[in-house]
Amino acid sequence: MNSTIYQPFKNFDFKYKNCFLSGDNFNAPVAEINVLPDWLLKVANFSGEEQIKLLDESVRAYNTLKVPCSTEVYNQFIQPLEDKIAAAFSEGYAAVSALPEEELFKWIGKFMYSLIYIEMNAAVRLQQISADGVNMSQGLMHKFGNLNTMLQSIYRPVVYEDFMPWSIVVVPLEEQDTSFSFRDEINTLTFSLKLKDFGIIACLQDNGTNKKFHQEILTQIGTTPLSPQQFEELCARFYYSAYLFNRLPEYTVMPVEGTIYIDAMPLRGTMNKALFDHWQHKTYAQVLQDFWKPWGHTLFEIIKDPTKPISYFEPACLPATQ
């Protein structure tokens, strides 16, 4: 097996000519595949005409979001992964929570990286990024490149040396027939979705720190089904803490005889400050207001007591401010 690692961010290979995961375009034909697979549109009861706004402000229908993929990679690896996730999603919380976290990481990561690929293609095409990427944040390129390397685990062996690069939380929901929706934040590689009786929150490149940061509330929740407001509040906490996470994870990546070995460098490194910037209730309340839009909570209402934003959890278990 090829021991080289495909690194599309080195030459900005986002031109729909090579497989978005493997870079291959000669061992098997390359075809465009849907970012939102047909089974997901079906279970969400979507037509595919629903729209999403991209970072360049363009509006695209779900069924037009496609990425190039080797037919060999798709048939042998992506399709079986989709089948496994689809089967679990169709059953609900019990099956989804039983999935190995690495399987969820691969599927969520593939979904998010597909959107990143589309955004990168648009940026290169519109010359917002030059061929050497000088107009793009080096930190973002670093994170996106690491995510691509980790996602090569979909079609080749990848070994994480005594760590997992993600925080993934699967929680039960009170409502048994929750409509499908998802949210993502590309800059922090944070993702969430809800469907039927389960919700998922994922931070794809934090080495598990966001999950540890919110361990108190997660322990309190346990397997207690969450109300719609509680799930959105939990999402808001993760999205905000992912924003506060002030490290750029570094990894040692070593390909050996077809297997990629990934070792995480210590997050603390030589920095004296904490892994997260100070939690500010006022800023968190602004995030929470966005997540609670369906219920019409105003910012004034949420932060009426500046030391104690309102919460649907009792006790609230909010991080301490400084």
Side-chain angles (χ1 to χ4, degrees):
M1 182 180 283
N2 187 0
S3 284
T4 60
I5 300 175
Y6 176 49
Q7 296 178 303
F9 286 87
K10 283 201 168 179
N11 60 357
F12 281 76
D13 181 15
F14 303 102
K15 299 173 182 175
Y16 280 80
K17 294 180 180 177
N18 304 320
C19 176
F20 81 118
L21 278 182
S22 68
D24 192 7
N25 69 352
F26 51 88
N27 287 325
V30 172
E32 292 188 7
I33 63 170
N34 293 326
V35 173
L36 277 80
D38 290 341
W39 71 263
L40 186 57
L41 292 175
K42 184 176 180 181
V43 77
N45 200 25
F46 285 170
S47 67
E49 298 297 327
E50 293 79 8
Q51 296 183 327
I52 184 173
K53 181 181 281 191
L54 302 180
L55 295 180
D56 64 0
E57 298 298 313
S58 65
V59 176
R60 301 271 299 274
Y62 284 163
N63 56 17
T64 68
L65 299 174
K66 298 176 182 290
V67 289
C69 185
S70 156
T71 52
E72 179 183 11
V73 168
Y74 181 78
N75 291 330
Q76 293 189 26
F77 303 103
I78 291 181
Q79 188 61 61
L81 174 63
E82 293 286 358
D83 291 344
K84 187 179 297 185
I85 299 297
F89 276 29
S90 70
E91 291 185 44
Y93 171 74
V96 175
S97 60
L99 283 169
E101 283 190 359
E102 188 165 3
E103 297 296 294
L104 284 171
F105 171 76
K106 290 176 185 178
W107 186 79
I108 294 169
K110 177 189 70 67
F111 186 96
M112 280 199 75
Y113 185 73
S114 297
L115 294 175
I116 290 169
Y117 185 99
I118 291 169
E119 300 277 14
M120 295 302 301
N121 169 263
V124 172
R125 188 163 33 83
L126 295 173
Q127 298 184 323
Q128 294 172 344
I129 298 177
S130 59
D132 58 3
V134 294
N135 298 337
M136 184 182 178
S137 158
Q138 296 295 309
L140 276 181
M141 280 197 293
H142 193 75
K143 285 199 289 190
F144 294 166
N146 282 336
L147 179 61
N148 176 274
T149 297
M150 293 168 181
L151 289 179
Q152 291 177 45
S153 62
I154 291 174
Y155 67 92
R156 66 188 292 184
V158 170
V159 176
Y160 302 107
E161 303 274 16
D162 299 322
F163 85 105
M164 295 302 172
W166 59 78
S167 290
I168 293 178
V169 174
V170 181
V171 293
L173 303 179
E174 285 179 356
E175 294 186 0
Q176 299 296 295
D177 198 20
T178 303
S179 298
F180 172 78
S181 65
F182 73 91
R183 185 188 294 251
D184 66 84
E185 168 45 54
I186 285 179
N187 288 337
T188 59
L189 293 179
T190 307
F191 175 89
S192 58
L193 71 77
K194 55 186 177 181
L195 175 68
K196 295 187 176 180
D197 66 340
F198 67 90
I200 302 173
I201 306 170
C203 302
L204 298 185
Q205 205 170 116
D206 70 344
N207 297 358
T209 54
N210 281 281
K211 193 170 183 178
K212 291 176 184 175
F213 188 79
H214 297 291
Q215 193 56 58
E216 184 180 7
I217 189 66
L218 293 175
T219 300
Q220 177 178 306
I221 291 168
T223 57
T224 305
L226 302 184
S227 69
Q229 296 94 330
Q230 285 177 323
F231 177 68
E232 294 301 330
E233 180 179 340
L234 187 63
C235 287
R237 296 184 187 208
F238 270 85
Y239 277 79
Y240 180 47
S241 68
Y243 167 77
L244 296 177
F245 182 56
N246 59 37
R247 296 296 198 273
L248 181 63
E250 299 276 359
Y251 305 98
T252 301
V253 179
M254 183 72 66
V256 179
E257 297 180 353
T259 297
I260 299 175
Y261 293 87
I262 302 178
D263 193 11
M265 305 296 285
L267 283 174
R268 296 203 174 272
T270 58
M271 301 178 73
N272 315 347
K273 64 179 183 178
L275 295 178
F276 293 87
D277 291 334
H278 296 321
W279 181 281
Q280 302 290 343
H281 285 333
K282 184 176 180 181
T283 309
Y284 163 66
Q286 292 170 338
V287 177
L288 190 54
Q289 181 189 21
D290 185 54
F291 280 78
W292 275 349
K293 270 183 182 174
W295 299 280
H297 290 300
T298 65
L299 183 59
F300 175 78
E301 178 188 1
I302 294 171
I303 200 73
K304 188 174 182 180
D305 180 348
T307 66
K308 189 179 179 182
I310 64 172
S311 172
Y312 279 86
F313 292 104
E314 181 56 47
C317 296
L318 278 167
T321 59
Q322 302 252 344

